[in-house]
Amino acid sequence: MIVSNKIYHLFRRGISSVSRFPAEVTIVEVGPRDGLQNEKTNVPTDKKIEFVDKLSESGLRRIEVTSFVSPKWVPQLADAKQVMQQIKRNPNVRYSTLTPNIKGFNDALDSNTQEVAIFGAASETFTKKNINCTIEQSLKQFDQVVQQAKANNLPIRGYVSCVVGCPYEGFIKPKIVCQVVEKMLSMGCYEVSLGDTIGVGNPNTIRDMLIELRRVVSGNMNLLAIHCHDTYGMALVNIVEALEHQIKVVDSSTAGLGGCPYASKGGAAVSGNVATEDVLYLLNSLGVKTGVDMNIVLEASEIITSVLNRKTNSKVGQALSCKKN
């Protein structure tokens, strides 16, 4: 079995395997935005602020706080401006926001965002069904946002969805991902996050994609990040594969917040974003530095899961909770 073989060989290598991975990895915390945006339970503004403030104490250097999108489409994030204006800013943390259009960008700018994010997909069908246009047209819509971000000296991050699989098209060829990534970098993105949106990736498909992308970025893997969903329990092993290709930035969500809208049963969301706690445990066990305090992340998890009235999706969080009790 691909997972068990990968993990077996990984731990058989033990400490000697550290040289195969980056010495240090940056975790991009996406829980406050990507984790909460589809939640049905209303999270009060003050609790979102408390959640972000606690994460800011953990040693995380990058936190995606919210999205400046129409409340009609994402009512959970209708308080984006209040949250951004009231969080306690840690000078060692960069606070970013998703800005889908120029109005959202202007609101983000007024709220002192330190980075903006744009998004696209490697699937034509996914793009057409979600925003009714082609991949090329979807990226063209961000021209004004990109130009204004450059004018205001704001870093621009890109997200690519469906990098190895699509709910409509199935397997996605790496060459399509390469085209979208190349376009985003040419637009001015300093980094592009590769999203396995429905969690169907495995080490083979992740490896094939990253080998192709290495050519696109001329070997500079610092231009790429990985964003794995844990829908089928493959997120961590896929992250290990990415680390072996010298990916040094990993997106994750505290408590594993954020379900996958396409892989559900009976209307109930299943595991989506990989949990920050689980990623931390993995990296710590490999001797890879993150600078992030697990205990404080667990405190942040407790804050948000209490509001949502559910247990954490993090396997590590569940295990440590059992030990404590």
Side-chain angles (χ1 to χ4, degrees), residues 69-86:
V69 66
S70 170
K72 176 183 176 183
W73 301 115
V74 188
Q76 183 69 261
L77 303 182
D79 56 359
K81 186 172 285 191
Q82 297 98 300
V83 172
M84 281 296 287
Q85 290 175 342
Q86 295 178 43

Side-chain angles (χ1 to χ4, degrees), residues 303-323:
I303 289 170
I304 199 64
T305 54
S306 294
V307 176
L308 297 171
N309 193 30
R310 74 161 76 109
K311 71 176 185 179
T312 177
N313 287 327
S314 163
K315 299 293 190 299
V316 170
Q318 292 173 24
L320 293 178
S321 177
C322 287
K323 284 182 69 175

Side-chain angles (χ1 to χ4, degrees), residues 36 41-51 76 79 83 303-304 306-308:
L36 292 180
T41 301
N42 178 58
V43 179
T45 301
D46 63 327
K47 287 298 180 181
K48 292 177 186 173
I49 294 168
E50 183 183 0
F51 180 41
Q76 183 69 261
D79 56 359
V83 172
I303 289 170
I304 199 64
S306 294
V307 176
L308 297 171

Side-chain angles (χ1 to χ4, degrees), residues 201-219:
N202 62 59
N204 288 338
T205 55
I206 296 294
R207 178 174 61 251
D208 291 346
M209 174 188 66
L210 291 175
I211 288 172
E212 289 296 316
L213 281 168
R214 182 175 286 276
R215 299 190 186 99
V216 172
V217 299
S218 301

